Amino acid sequence: QVQLAESGGGLVQAGDSLRLSCTASGRTFSGGSMAWFRQAPGKEREFVASIPRAGDTTYVADSVKGRFTISRDDAKNTVFLQMNSLKPEDTAVYYCAKAGTIYYNSEFASQDQSYAYWGQGTQVTVSS
């Protein structure tokens, strides 16, 4: 059993940067792909970014390409989301997720149902 806990959210102004982190506990961290999703008020949860393993290729949603970067440090059982040039439309609860397998296919890597373990979420609010 794997438990994930996000941190690093907060209230920032448009154009600012923020770094989210997610630390795993319980079962061994290594294994499947890890990802970030987000959900804004009145919206469905949407894919943000995914990474198969530390130092590997990444998959990033078109809406955040060039601004957000995902990375992971398996020695510290942690995955990160570096968010730059934040916009008001980035306001949402951000969720960390982990899959049971490694995905090198962009379609599978971006699907909600590909991930078995989820964190509680951390709020990111961007003011204009």
Side-chain angles (χ1 to χ4, degrees):
Q1 186 68 39
V2 176
Q3 294 181 321
L4 306 175
E6 305 94 336
S7 64
L11 174 62
V12 298
Q13 296 181 3
D16 283 353
S17 295
L18 206 58
R19 190 193 193 202
L20 306 184
S21 63
C22 171
T23 300
S25 63
R27 199 174 69 187
T28 301
F29 181 81
S30 62
S33 292
M34 296 192 73
W36 289 93
F37 288 76
R38 67 185 183 185
Q39 185 169 24
K43 299 283 189 178
E44 296 293 323
R45 185 163 57 187
E46 65 175 350
F47 170 76
V48 176
S50 178
I51 182 169
R53 55 190 177 186
D56 213 336
T57 185
T58 63
Y59 304 96
V60 184
D62 290 341
S63 60
V64 301
K65 281 183 179 178
R67 299 188 298 119
F68 290 11
T69 302
I70 186 173
S71 62
R72 62 192 285 177
D73 184 344
D74 292 341
K76 296 182 178 180
N77 299 320
T78 302
V79 63
F80 305 94
L81 184 68
Q82 178 65 46
M83 304 184 292
N84 298 327
S85 301
L86 283 163
K87 305 175 180 180
E89 50 263 48
D90 294 319
T91 295
V93 176
Y94 283 71
Y95 297 92
C96 170
K98 188 178 190 301
T101 60
I102 299 174
Y103 294 111
Y104 287 106
N105 178 283
S106 61
E107 182 178 358
F108 285 109
S110 65
Q111 293 181 172
D112 179 291
Q113 58 266 39
S114 294
Y115 300 88
Y117 307 102
W118 294 82
Q120 296 295 318
T122 184
Q123 177 71 48
V124 172
T125 302
V126 185
S127 64
S128 59

